[in-house]
Amino acid sequence: MKAPNPRRAPGLFATTLVLLRKDLLIEWRTRARLNALVFFAMATLLLFSFALGPDTKLLERNAGGYLWLAILFASVLCLGESFRVETENACLDGVRLAPADARAIFLSKALGNALLLLALSAVLVPVMVALYGVRIVTGVGDLAGILVLGSLALSAPGTVYAAISSNARARDVLLPLLLFPLVIPALLSAAKGTTLVLQGDPMQQLGSWQGLLLGFNLIYWGVGFVLFPRVIED
Amino acid sequence: MNKFVKFGLPALTLALLGAGWWLGLAWAPPDREMGEVQRIMYVHVPLQWMAMMAMFINFVAAVTYLMRQSWKTDAMAEASAEVGLLFGTLGMITGSIWGRPTWGVYWSWDPRLTSEAILLVSYTGYLVLRRFVEDPEKRAVWSAVVAIIGAINLPIVWFSVRWWRSLHQVQSSPKTVDPQMVLPLRVSAFGMLALLIVFLVHRYRIALAERKAEVALPEALPTDDPALRASHSSKVA
């Protein structure tokens, strides 16, 4: 076995982990983004119940959809912020000159965003259970599966679009305008899946919605991985 | 611009559309179940076909641009997205005019209609992105990426009527339709194709002229043609 060459550049996986660690460390030291996300999403959940009146049956029936709308709205904040830290002081150029593979930048940003959304949903679910009076019928494992797949599905195309819109004019409008139509299939299947988890799944439909989410993830993580280097090239 | 594109093609378009719609309105029989309302098919279906074709051209232009940078493919991408959005919107409006007497509603949340609406919104986002980025090179690359990601929707729209059997009918084939309806539909479709080409050519020329005007001022930015760039910079100077 040869000793590793100390000058060899780190591989894609190692670079991704280093970058992800850096992003999470920034997040941990400030905790600004996660705090903002949690309060924004909780306010959204509360607003749904105000807008629709205190009809507990209606809220309970639609809880899955409201949860995912809250996560979607919060994801726009999350994605936009993830590139703001890099555009300040031209940090992105620094990372690329390091040199880091652009695909590793994509993977680390998208994974970081997915982790934040997952942390957000871990906080939101108990709030939703309390506010809307729902029960988790088919088990916490199923719910966790949907939350993981859904967060991943929002973050892959979202990261590509956030990188684009962070450099454009009117970026606050542009990101939702590009992202929302695109993630409708993911939003639909995540909301349907969550509703099935909350209300029971007598027809065994959960698997097909999870399959749709998985397919969405495979397509958009693949496309993002291939196309992202072109987005941030100069 | 050569004479055929400037005069011949628009004349051919008018002739084909006139003939197709005359055949559809006066010659073809009314549908057994839907009656006269069905005749909107000779407008609605060709519009949607051409919208899909324009969006497919947009996808091809975007992929081509990423492989080999050229203002021509970028201008083609812009032109085809805009014309595709126009045809798709008109197709959706004619569809809902047909839907009201046939289904009783202008709009239903049918998979075909919903996926088409998503498609139109995503192309609107694409065109907005093009307006919001000033640097022409960045705009071209980014919009190509967005076009490729958005084009994943195209097959979903096309196959939606087969995947989810619902209100909207499945594509008919010449085998299942009366020959007296196939002919007007074919002629109108070719007329609409000619109209699409007329629109695309004109919009493409505008986009290309805009791009060249944008990149003519700062000399550092590339154009396709070094001679052209020299002539532009001498004009500016």
Side-chain angles (χ1 to χ4, degrees), chain A residues 12 16 19 23 83 92 101-113 152 155-161 163 220-229 232:
Chain A
L12 185 69
T16 307
L19 289 173
D23 281 348
F83 278 93
L92 193 59
D101 189 336
R103 293 173 300 175
I105 299 178
F106 167 72
L107 288 179
S108 67
K109 285 284 173 202
L111 278 176
N113 283 323
L152 288 170
S155 66
T159 301
V160 179
Y161 282 171
Y220 285 101
W221 280 83
V223 171
F225 186 75
V226 174
L227 291 180
F228 189 79
I232 60 167

PDB file of all heavy atoms in Angstrom, chain A residues 12 16 19 23 83 92 101-113 152 155-161 163 220-229 232:
ATOM      1  N   LEU A  12     -13.845  14.569  -4.428  1.00  0.00           N
ATOM      2  CA  LEU A  12     -15.136  15.243  -4.417  1.00  0.00           C
ATOM      3  C   LEU A  12     -15.833  15.103  -3.070  1.00  0.00           C
ATOM      4  O   LEU A  12     -16.334  16.075  -2.503  1.00  0.00           O
ATOM      5  CB  LEU A  12     -15.999  14.622  -5.522  1.00  0.00           C
ATOM      6  CG  LEU A  12     -17.350  15.247  -5.767  1.00  0.00           C
ATOM      7  CD1 LEU A  12     -17.189  16.620  -6.360  1.00  0.00           C
ATOM      8  CD2 LEU A  12     -18.166  14.362  -6.686  1.00  0.00           C
ATOM      9  N   THR A  16     -16.655  18.019  -0.387  1.00  0.00           N
ATOM     10  CA  THR A  16     -18.045  18.277   0.000  1.00  0.00           C
ATOM     11  C   THR A  16     -18.172  18.330   1.515  1.00  0.00           C
ATOM     12  O   THR A  16     -18.805  19.237   2.066  1.00  0.00           O
ATOM     13  CB  THR A  16     -18.957  17.167  -0.558  1.00  0.00           C
ATOM     14  OG1 THR A  16     -18.734  17.052  -1.938  1.00  0.00           O
ATOM     15  CG2 THR A  16     -20.403  17.475  -0.287  1.00  0.00           C
ATOM     16  N   LEU A  19     -16.652  21.509   2.966  1.00  0.00           N
ATOM     17  CA  LEU A  19     -17.496  22.688   2.728  1.00  0.00           C
ATOM     18  C   LEU A  19     -18.760  22.644   3.573  1.00  0.00           C
ATOM     19  O   LEU A  19     -19.214  23.665   4.103  1.00  0.00           O
ATOM     20  CB  LEU A  19     -17.857  22.771   1.247  1.00  0.00           C
ATOM     21  CG  LEU A  19     -16.726  23.159   0.308  1.00  0.00           C
ATOM     22  CD1 LEU A  19     -17.158  23.034  -1.129  1.00  0.00           C
ATOM     23  CD2 LEU A  19     -16.290  24.587   0.602  1.00  0.00           C
ATOM     24  N   ASP A  23     -20.084  25.368   6.289  1.00  0.00           N
ATOM     25  CA  ASP A  23     -21.404  26.022   6.292  1.00  0.00           C
ATOM     26  C   ASP A  23     -22.137  25.780   7.600  1.00  0.00           C
ATOM     27  O   ASP A  23     -22.765  26.691   8.151  1.00  0.00           O
ATOM     28  CB  ASP A  23     -22.249  25.492   5.117  1.00  0.00           C
ATOM     29  CG  ASP A  23     -21.846  26.142   3.814  1.00  0.00           C
ATOM     30  OD1 ASP A  23     -21.105  27.134   3.866  1.00  0.00           O
ATOM     31  OD2 ASP A  23     -22.274  25.659   2.751  1.00  0.00           O
ATOM     32  N   PHE A  83     -26.639  31.509  -0.182  1.00  0.00           N
ATOM     33  CA  PHE A  83     -25.646  32.106  -1.068  1.00  0.00           C
ATOM     34  C   PHE A  83     -25.293  33.532  -0.690  1.00  0.00           C
ATOM     35  O   PHE A  83     -24.315  34.066  -1.183  1.00  0.00           O
ATOM     36  CB  PHE A  83     -26.107  32.023  -2.523  1.00  0.00           C
ATOM     37  CG  PHE A  83     -25.819  30.683  -3.101  1.00  0.00           C
ATOM     38  CD1 PHE A  83     -26.759  29.685  -3.081  1.00  0.00           C
ATOM     39  CD2 PHE A  83     -24.568  30.410  -3.616  1.00  0.00           C
ATOM     40  CE1 PHE A  83     -26.473  28.435  -3.577  1.00  0.00           C
ATOM     41  CE2 PHE A  83     -24.266  29.164  -4.125  1.00  0.00           C
ATOM     42  CZ  PHE A  83     -25.225  28.172  -4.101  1.00  0.00           C
ATOM     43  N   LEU A  92     -17.371  33.233  -2.544  1.00  0.00           N
ATOM     44  CA  LEU A  92     -17.529  32.131  -3.480  1.00  0.00           C
ATOM     45  C   LEU A  92     -16.295  32.012  -4.368  1.00  0.00           C
ATOM     46  O   LEU A  92     -15.815  30.912  -4.642  1.00  0.00           O
ATOM     47  CB  LEU A  92     -18.790  32.350  -4.323  1.00  0.00           C
ATOM     48  CG  LEU A  92     -19.257  31.156  -5.135  1.00  0.00           C
ATOM     49  CD1 LEU A  92     -19.551  29.978  -4.239  1.00  0.00           C
ATOM     50  CD2 LEU A  92     -20.481  31.510  -5.938  1.00  0.00           C
ATOM     51  N   ASP A 101     -13.920  21.828  -6.205  1.00  0.00           N
ATOM     52  CA  ASP A 101     -14.724  21.396  -7.345  1.00  0.00           C
ATOM     53  C   ASP A 101     -16.113  22.039  -7.238  1.00  0.00           C
ATOM     54  O   ASP A 101     -16.736  22.009  -6.178  1.00  0.00           O
ATOM     55  CB  ASP A 101     -14.836  19.870  -7.289  1.00  0.00           C
ATOM     56  CG  ASP A 101     -15.467  19.293  -8.542  1.00  0.00           C
ATOM     57  OD1 ASP A 101     -16.197  20.032  -9.222  1.00  0.00           O
ATOM     58  OD2 ASP A 101     -15.229  18.105  -8.811  1.00  0.00           O
ATOM     59  N   ALA A 102     -16.587  22.632  -8.347  1.00  0.00           N
ATOM     60  CA  ALA A 102     -17.892  23.298  -8.306  1.00  0.00           C
ATOM     61  C   ALA A 102     -18.994  22.314  -7.933  1.00  0.00           C
ATOM     62  O   ALA A 102     -19.973  22.676  -7.286  1.00  0.00           O
ATOM     63  CB  ALA A 102     -18.193  23.924  -9.665  1.00  0.00           C
ATOM     64  N   ARG A 103     -18.822  21.041  -8.323  1.00  0.00           N
ATOM     65  CA  ARG A 103     -19.860  20.057  -7.996  1.00  0.00           C
ATOM     66  C   ARG A 103     -19.891  19.804  -6.492  1.00  0.00           C
ATOM     67  O   ARG A 103     -20.944  19.544  -5.913  1.00  0.00           O
ATOM     68  CB  ARG A 103     -19.602  18.772  -8.759  1.00  0.00           C
ATOM     69  CG  ARG A 103     -19.779  18.979 -10.262  1.00  0.00           C
ATOM     70  CD  ARG A 103     -19.360  17.769 -11.031  1.00  0.00           C
ATOM     71  NE  ARG A 103     -17.949  17.468 -10.782  1.00  0.00           N
ATOM     72  CZ  ARG A 103     -17.324  16.388 -11.251  1.00  0.00           C
ATOM     73  NH1 ARG A 103     -17.977  15.531 -11.984  1.00  0.00           N
ATOM     74  NH2 ARG A 103     -16.062  16.177 -10.983  1.00  0.00           N
ATOM     75  N   ALA A 104     -18.700  19.899  -5.854  1.00  0.00           N
ATOM     76  CA  ALA A 104     -18.669  19.746  -4.401  1.00  0.00           C
ATOM     77  C   ALA A 104     -19.380  20.918  -3.729  1.00  0.00           C
ATOM     78  O   ALA A 104     -20.050  20.748  -2.709  1.00  0.00           O
ATOM     79  CB  ALA A 104     -17.231  19.649  -3.919  1.00  0.00           C
ATOM     80  N   ILE A 105     -19.253  22.105  -4.340  1.00  0.00           N
ATOM     81  CA  ILE A 105     -19.958  23.267  -3.787  1.00  0.00           C
ATOM     82  C   ILE A 105     -21.462  23.018  -3.863  1.00  0.00           C
ATOM     83  O   ILE A 105     -22.200  23.255  -2.908  1.00  0.00           O
ATOM     84  CB  ILE A 105     -19.586  24.558  -4.557  1.00  0.00           C
ATOM     85  CG1 ILE A 105     -18.084  24.809  -4.429  1.00  0.00           C
ATOM     86  CG2 ILE A 105     -20.371  25.746  -4.020  1.00  0.00           C
ATOM     87  CD1 ILE A 105     -17.612  26.017  -5.191  1.00  0.00           C
ATOM     88  N   PHE A 106     -21.911  22.495  -5.026  1.00  0.00           N
ATOM     89  CA  PHE A 106     -23.344  22.186  -5.156  1.00  0.00           C
ATOM     90  C   PHE A 106     -23.784  21.192  -4.097  1.00  0.00           C
ATOM     91  O   PHE A 106     -24.770  21.418  -3.385  1.00  0.00           O
ATOM     92  CB  PHE A 106     -23.645  21.620  -6.551  1.00  0.00           C
ATOM     93  CG  PHE A 106     -25.003  21.001  -6.658  1.00  0.00           C
ATOM     94  CD1 PHE A 106     -26.134  21.803  -6.671  1.00  0.00           C
ATOM     95  CD2 PHE A 106     -25.160  19.626  -6.712  1.00  0.00           C
ATOM     96  CE1 PHE A 106     -27.402  21.243  -6.742  1.00  0.00           C
ATOM     97  CE2 PHE A 106     -26.425  19.065  -6.789  1.00  0.00           C
ATOM     98  CZ  PHE A 106     -27.536  19.874  -6.806  1.00  0.00           C
ATOM     99  N   LEU A 107     -23.029  20.071  -3.975  1.00  0.00           N
ATOM    100  CA  LEU A 107     -23.452  19.028  -3.037  1.00  0.00           C
ATOM    101  C   LEU A 107     -23.489  19.565  -1.611  1.00  0.00           C
ATOM    102  O   LEU A 107     -24.443  19.314  -0.867  1.00  0.00           O
ATOM    103  CB  LEU A 107     -22.505  17.830  -3.116  1.00  0.00           C
ATOM    104  CG  LEU A 107     -22.626  16.990  -4.389  1.00  0.00           C
ATOM    105  CD1 LEU A 107     -21.623  15.846  -4.352  1.00  0.00           C
ATOM    106  CD2 LEU A 107     -24.033  16.427  -4.516  1.00  0.00           C
ATOM    107  N   SER A 108     -22.464  20.351  -1.232  1.00  0.00           N
ATOM    108  CA  SER A 108     -22.429  20.812   0.153  1.00  0.00           C
ATOM    109  C   SER A 108     -23.548  21.808   0.420  1.00  0.00           C
ATOM    110  O   SER A 108     -24.217  21.739   1.463  1.00  0.00           O
ATOM    111  CB  SER A 108     -21.073  21.430   0.467  1.00  0.00           C
ATOM    112  OG  SER A 108     -20.913  22.623  -0.271  1.00  0.00           O
ATOM    113  N   LYS A 109     -23.794  22.713  -0.543  1.00  0.00           N
ATOM    114  CA  LYS A 109     -24.864  23.700  -0.328  1.00  0.00           C
ATOM    115  C   LYS A 109     -26.223  23.007  -0.277  1.00  0.00           C
ATOM    116  O   LYS A 109     -27.068  23.311   0.578  1.00  0.00           O
ATOM    117  CB  LYS A 109     -24.869  24.724  -1.465  1.00  0.00           C
ATOM    118  CG  LYS A 109     -23.756  25.716  -1.392  1.00  0.00           C
ATOM    119  CD  LYS A 109     -24.031  26.759  -0.336  1.00  0.00           C
ATOM    120  CE  LYS A 109     -22.818  27.643  -0.183  1.00  0.00           C
ATOM    121  NZ  LYS A 109     -22.785  28.321   1.104  1.00  0.00           N
ATOM    122  N   ALA A 110     -26.455  22.080  -1.214  1.00  0.00           N
ATOM    123  CA  ALA A 110     -27.758  21.432  -1.262  1.00  0.00           C
ATOM    124  C   ALA A 110     -27.970  20.567  -0.026  1.00  0.00           C
ATOM    125  O   ALA A 110     -29.056  20.568   0.572  1.00  0.00           O
ATOM    126  CB  ALA A 110     -27.875  20.597  -2.532  1.00  0.00           C
ATOM    127  N   LEU A 111     -26.912  19.850   0.398  1.00  0.00           N
ATOM    128  CA  LEU A 111     -27.044  19.035   1.605  1.00  0.00           C
ATOM    129  C   LEU A 111     -27.266  19.917   2.828  1.00  0.00           C
ATOM    130  O   LEU A 111     -28.095  19.605   3.691  1.00  0.00           O
ATOM    131  CB  LEU A 111     -25.786  18.188   1.821  1.00  0.00           C
ATOM    132  CG  LEU A 111     -25.715  16.890   1.011  1.00  0.00           C
ATOM    133  CD1 LEU A 111     -24.376  16.208   1.254  1.00  0.00           C
ATOM    134  CD2 LEU A 111     -26.846  15.964   1.419  1.00  0.00           C
ATOM    135  N   GLY A 112     -26.517  21.037   2.892  1.00  0.00           N
ATOM    136  CA  GLY A 112     -26.681  21.946   4.026  1.00  0.00           C
ATOM    137  C   GLY A 112     -28.101  22.492   4.096  1.00  0.00           C
ATOM    138  O   GLY A 112     -28.713  22.528   5.175  1.00  0.00           O
ATOM    139  N   ASN A 113     -28.643  22.879   2.925  1.00  0.00           N
ATOM    140  CA  ASN A 113     -30.015  23.382   2.909  1.00  0.00           C
ATOM    141  C   ASN A 113     -31.001  22.300   3.326  1.00  0.00           C
ATOM    142  O   ASN A 113     -31.945  22.555   4.073  1.00  0.00           O
ATOM    143  CB  ASN A 113     -30.367  23.892   1.511  1.00  0.00           C
ATOM    144  CG  ASN A 113     -29.743  25.245   1.234  1.00  0.00           C
ATOM    145  OD1 ASN A 113     -29.669  26.073   2.129  1.00  0.00           O
ATOM    146  ND2 ASN A 113     -29.294  25.456   0.027  1.00  0.00           N
ATOM    147  N   LEU A 152     -34.925  17.060   0.797  1.00  0.00           N
ATOM    148  CA  LEU A 152     -33.929  16.871  -0.267  1.00  0.00           C
ATOM    149  C   LEU A 152     -34.472  17.366  -1.595  1.00  0.00           C
ATOM    150  O   LEU A 152     -33.760  17.984  -2.391  1.00  0.00           O
ATOM    151  CB  LEU A 152     -33.551  15.395  -0.382  1.00  0.00           C
ATOM    152  CG  LEU A 152     -32.697  14.816   0.746  1.00  0.00           C
ATOM    153  CD1 LEU A 152     -32.608  13.302   0.613  1.00  0.00           C
ATOM    154  CD2 LEU A 152     -31.300  15.406   0.723  1.00  0.00           C
ATOM    155  N   SER A 155     -34.360  21.124  -1.852  1.00  0.00           N
ATOM    156  CA  SER A 155     -33.062  21.797  -1.790  1.00  0.00           C
ATOM    157  C   SER A 155     -32.239  21.625  -3.064  1.00  0.00           C
ATOM    158  O   SER A 155     -31.440  22.503  -3.383  1.00  0.00           O
ATOM    159  CB  SER A 155     -32.275  21.331  -0.574  1.00  0.00           C
ATOM    160  OG  SER A 155     -31.951  19.982  -0.712  1.00  0.00           O
ATOM    161  N   ALA A 156     -32.423  20.521  -3.819  1.00  0.00           N
ATOM    162  CA  ALA A 156     -31.558  20.334  -4.999  1.00  0.00           C
ATOM    163  C   ALA A 156     -31.835  21.370  -6.094  1.00  0.00           C
ATOM    164  O   ALA A 156     -30.929  22.127  -6.466  1.00  0.00           O
ATOM    165  CB  ALA A 156     -31.681  18.920  -5.542  1.00  0.00           C
ATOM    166  N   PRO A 157     -33.065  21.468  -6.633  1.00  0.00           N
ATOM    167  CA  PRO A 157     -33.287  22.522  -7.629  1.00  0.00           C
ATOM    168  C   PRO A 157     -33.183  23.911  -6.995  1.00  0.00           C
ATOM    169  O   PRO A 157     -32.738  24.860  -7.646  1.00  0.00           O
ATOM    170  CB  PRO A 157     -34.702  22.262  -8.142  1.00  0.00           C
ATOM    171  CG  PRO A 157     -35.359  21.446  -7.109  1.00  0.00           C
ATOM    172  CD  PRO A 157     -34.284  20.669  -6.409  1.00  0.00           C
ATOM    173  N   GLY A 158     -33.562  24.013  -5.714  1.00  0.00           N
ATOM    174  CA  GLY A 158     -33.510  25.304  -5.043  1.00  0.00           C
ATOM    175  C   GLY A 158     -32.102  25.855  -4.965  1.00  0.00           C
ATOM    176  O   GLY A 158     -31.891  27.070  -5.098  1.00  0.00           O
ATOM    177  N   THR A 159     -31.122  24.980  -4.765  1.00  0.00           N
ATOM    178  CA  THR A 159     -29.737  25.451  -4.659  1.00  0.00           C
ATOM    179  C   THR A 159     -29.254  26.011  -5.995  1.00  0.00           C
ATOM    180  O   THR A 159     -28.600  27.059  -6.040  1.00  0.00           O
ATOM    181  CB  THR A 159     -28.833  24.297  -4.198  1.00  0.00           C
ATOM    182  OG1 THR A 159     -29.326  23.838  -2.942  1.00  0.00           O
ATOM    183  CG2 THR A 159     -27.409  24.738  -4.059  1.00  0.00           C
ATOM    184  N   VAL A 160     -29.604  25.320  -7.098  1.00  0.00           N
ATOM    185  CA  VAL A 160     -29.209  25.824  -8.424  1.00  0.00           C
ATOM    186  C   VAL A 160     -29.840  27.195  -8.660  1.00  0.00           C
ATOM    187  O   VAL A 160     -29.168  28.151  -9.070  1.00  0.00           O
ATOM    188  CB  VAL A 160     -29.658  24.841  -9.525  1.00  0.00           C
ATOM    189  CG1 VAL A 160     -29.260  25.384 -10.883  1.00  0.00           C
ATOM    190  CG2 VAL A 160     -29.058  23.476  -9.315  1.00  0.00           C
ATOM    191  N   TYR A 161     -31.133  27.301  -8.364  1.00  0.00           N
ATOM    192  CA  TYR A 161     -31.830  28.549  -8.628  1.00  0.00           C
ATOM    193  C   TYR A 161     -31.386  29.658  -7.676  1.00  0.00           C
ATOM    194  O   TYR A 161     -31.357  30.828  -8.060  1.00  0.00           O
ATOM    195  CB  TYR A 161     -33.341  28.338  -8.532  1.00  0.00           C
ATOM    196  CG  TYR A 161     -33.911  27.671  -9.761  1.00  0.00           C
ATOM    197  CD1 TYR A 161     -35.219  27.234  -9.804  1.00  0.00           C
ATOM    198  CD2 TYR A 161     -33.132  27.491 -10.890  1.00  0.00           C
ATOM    199  CE1 TYR A 161     -35.745  26.628 -10.934  1.00  0.00           C
ATOM    200  CE2 TYR A 161     -33.635  26.887 -12.014  1.00  0.00           C
ATOM    201  CZ  TYR A 161     -34.940  26.461 -12.034  1.00  0.00           C
ATOM    202  OH  TYR A 161     -35.437  25.865 -13.152  1.00  0.00           O
ATOM    203  N   ALA A 163     -28.367  30.011  -6.518  1.00  0.00           N
ATOM    204  CA  ALA A 163     -27.079  30.487  -7.024  1.00  0.00           C
ATOM    205  C   ALA A 163     -27.298  31.470  -8.167  1.00  0.00           C
ATOM    206  O   ALA A 163     -26.594  32.476  -8.283  1.00  0.00           O
ATOM    207  CB  ALA A 163     -26.235  29.313  -7.496  1.00  0.00           C
ATOM    208  N   TYR A 220     -33.494  15.685 -10.124  1.00  0.00           N
ATOM    209  CA  TYR A 220     -32.997  17.035  -9.890  1.00  0.00           C
ATOM    210  C   TYR A 220     -31.632  17.069  -9.208  1.00  0.00           C
ATOM    211  O   TYR A 220     -30.874  18.017  -9.435  1.00  0.00           O
ATOM    212  CB  TYR A 220     -34.042  17.862  -9.142  1.00  0.00           C
ATOM    213  CG  TYR A 220     -35.160  18.259 -10.074  1.00  0.00           C
ATOM    214  CD1 TYR A 220     -36.369  17.590 -10.076  1.00  0.00           C
ATOM    215  CD2 TYR A 220     -34.971  19.261 -11.011  1.00  0.00           C
ATOM    216  CE1 TYR A 220     -37.378  17.921 -10.959  1.00  0.00           C
ATOM    217  CE2 TYR A 220     -35.960  19.595 -11.905  1.00  0.00           C
ATOM    218  CZ  TYR A 220     -37.164  18.930 -11.870  1.00  0.00           C
ATOM    219  OH  TYR A 220     -38.136  19.257 -12.766  1.00  0.00           O
ATOM    220  N   TRP A 221     -31.296  16.056  -8.388  1.00  0.00           N
ATOM    221  CA  TRP A 221     -29.922  16.020  -7.870  1.00  0.00           C
ATOM    222  C   TRP A 221     -28.969  15.747  -9.021  1.00  0.00           C
ATOM    223  O   TRP A 221     -27.882  16.332  -9.085  1.00  0.00           O
ATOM    224  CB  TRP A 221     -29.775  14.970  -6.764  1.00  0.00           C
ATOM    225  CG  TRP A 221     -30.274  15.460  -5.443  1.00  0.00           C
ATOM    226  CD1 TRP A 221     -31.579  15.445  -5.025  1.00  0.00           C
ATOM    227  CD2 TRP A 221     -29.525  16.070  -4.394  1.00  0.00           C
ATOM    228  NE1 TRP A 221     -31.678  16.014  -3.781  1.00  0.00           N
ATOM    229  CE2 TRP A 221     -30.430  16.397  -3.361  1.00  0.00           C
ATOM    230  CE3 TRP A 221     -28.180  16.365  -4.229  1.00  0.00           C
ATOM    231  CZ2 TRP A 221     -30.019  17.017  -2.182  1.00  0.00           C
ATOM    232  CZ3 TRP A 221     -27.779  16.968  -3.041  1.00  0.00           C
ATOM    233  CH2 TRP A 221     -28.694  17.298  -2.025  1.00  0.00           C
ATOM    234  N   GLY A 222     -29.366  14.885  -9.946  1.00  0.00           N
ATOM    235  CA  GLY A 222     -28.507  14.589 -11.094  1.00  0.00           C
ATOM    236  C   GLY A 222     -28.314  15.805 -11.978  1.00  0.00           C
ATOM    237  O   GLY A 222     -27.189  16.173 -12.326  1.00  0.00           O
ATOM    238  N   VAL A 223     -29.437  16.451 -12.337  1.00  0.00           N
ATOM    239  CA  VAL A 223     -29.360  17.619 -13.223  1.00  0.00           C
ATOM    240  C   VAL A 223     -28.566  18.734 -12.546  1.00  0.00           C
ATOM    241  O   VAL A 223     -27.717  19.383 -13.166  1.00  0.00           O
ATOM    242  CB  VAL A 223     -30.782  18.090 -13.592  1.00  0.00           C
ATOM    243  CG1 VAL A 223     -30.726  19.414 -14.314  1.00  0.00           C
ATOM    244  CG2 VAL A 223     -31.466  17.067 -14.469  1.00  0.00           C
ATOM    245  N   GLY A 224     -28.827  18.963 -11.267  1.00  0.00           N
ATOM    246  CA  GLY A 224     -28.114  20.010 -10.539  1.00  0.00           C
ATOM    247  C   GLY A 224     -26.615  19.734 -10.486  1.00  0.00           C
ATOM    248  O   GLY A 224     -25.791  20.626 -10.710  1.00  0.00           O
ATOM    249  N   PHE A 225     -26.277  18.477 -10.239  1.00  0.00           N
ATOM    250  CA  PHE A 225     -24.869  18.086 -10.145  1.00  0.00           C
ATOM    251  C   PHE A 225     -24.148  18.360 -11.459  1.00  0.00           C
ATOM    252  O   PHE A 225     -23.017  18.832 -11.476  1.00  0.00           O
ATOM    253  CB  PHE A 225     -24.813  16.586  -9.813  1.00  0.00           C
ATOM    254  CG  PHE A 225     -23.442  16.058  -9.535  1.00  0.00           C
ATOM    255  CD1 PHE A 225     -22.819  16.326  -8.338  1.00  0.00           C
ATOM    256  CD2 PHE A 225     -22.787  15.275 -10.470  1.00  0.00           C
ATOM    257  CE1 PHE A 225     -21.551  15.833  -8.081  1.00  0.00           C
ATOM    258  CE2 PHE A 225     -21.527  14.787 -10.215  1.00  0.00           C
ATOM    259  CZ  PHE A 225     -20.906  15.062  -9.016  1.00  0.00           C
ATOM    260  N   VAL A 226     -24.828  18.083 -12.576  1.00  0.00           N
ATOM    261  CA  VAL A 226     -24.194  18.270 -13.885  1.00  0.00           C
ATOM    262  C   VAL A 226     -24.146  19.754 -14.266  1.00  0.00           C
ATOM    263  O   VAL A 226     -23.146  20.237 -14.794  1.00  0.00           O
ATOM    264  CB  VAL A 226     -24.957  17.461 -14.956  1.00  0.00           C
ATOM    265  CG1 VAL A 226     -24.412  17.757 -16.337  1.00  0.00           C
ATOM    266  CG2 VAL A 226     -24.866  15.978 -14.655  1.00  0.00           C
ATOM    267  N   LEU A 227     -25.240  20.487 -13.995  1.00  0.00           N
ATOM    268  CA  LEU A 227     -25.340  21.848 -14.527  1.00  0.00           C
ATOM    269  C   LEU A 227     -24.756  22.928 -13.613  1.00  0.00           C
ATOM    270  O   LEU A 227     -24.415  24.011 -14.066  1.00  0.00           O
ATOM    271  CB  LEU A 227     -26.800  22.194 -14.827  1.00  0.00           C
ATOM    272  CG  LEU A 227     -27.439  21.446 -15.986  1.00  0.00           C
ATOM    273  CD1 LEU A 227     -28.875  21.891 -16.171  1.00  0.00           C
ATOM    274  CD2 LEU A 227     -26.670  21.686 -17.271  1.00  0.00           C
ATOM    275  N   PHE A 228     -24.659  22.635 -12.303  1.00  0.00           N
ATOM    276  CA  PHE A 228     -24.253  23.686 -11.370  1.00  0.00           C
ATOM    277  C   PHE A 228     -22.912  24.324 -11.709  1.00  0.00           C
ATOM    278  O   PHE A 228     -22.771  25.551 -11.607  1.00  0.00           O
ATOM    279  CB  PHE A 228     -24.231  23.145  -9.934  1.00  0.00           C
ATOM    280  CG  PHE A 228     -24.048  24.196  -8.899  1.00  0.00           C
ATOM    281  CD1 PHE A 228     -25.102  24.988  -8.496  1.00  0.00           C
ATOM    282  CD2 PHE A 228     -22.802  24.423  -8.325  1.00  0.00           C
ATOM    283  CE1 PHE A 228     -24.937  25.974  -7.551  1.00  0.00           C
ATOM    284  CE2 PHE A 228     -22.629  25.416  -7.371  1.00  0.00           C
ATOM    285  CZ  PHE A 228     -23.699  26.184  -6.989  1.00  0.00           C
ATOM    286  N   PRO A 229     -21.893  23.532 -12.132  1.00  0.00           N
ATOM    287  CA  PRO A 229     -20.612  24.187 -12.468  1.00  0.00           C
ATOM    288  C   PRO A 229     -20.761  25.300 -13.507  1.00  0.00           C
ATOM    289  O   PRO A 229     -20.063  26.316 -13.432  1.00  0.00           O
ATOM    290  CB  PRO A 229     -19.774  23.028 -13.017  1.00  0.00           C
ATOM    291  CG  PRO A 229     -20.323  21.830 -12.362  1.00  0.00           C
ATOM    292  CD  PRO A 229     -21.787  22.078 -12.203  1.00  0.00           C
ATOM    293  N   ILE A 232     -21.971  28.768 -11.824  1.00  0.00           N
ATOM    294  CA  ILE A 232     -21.080  29.647 -11.059  1.00  0.00           C
ATOM    295  C   ILE A 232     -19.767  29.913 -11.773  1.00  0.00           C
ATOM    296  O   ILE A 232     -18.869  30.517 -11.217  1.00  0.00           O
ATOM    297  CB  ILE A 232     -20.814  29.107  -9.637  1.00  0.00           C
ATOM    298  CG1 ILE A 232     -20.169  27.731  -9.714  1.00  0.00           C
ATOM    299  CG2 ILE A 232     -22.085  29.044  -8.826  1.00  0.00           C
ATOM    300  CD1 ILE A 232     -19.605  27.309  -8.374  1.00  0.00           C
TER     301      ILE A 232
END
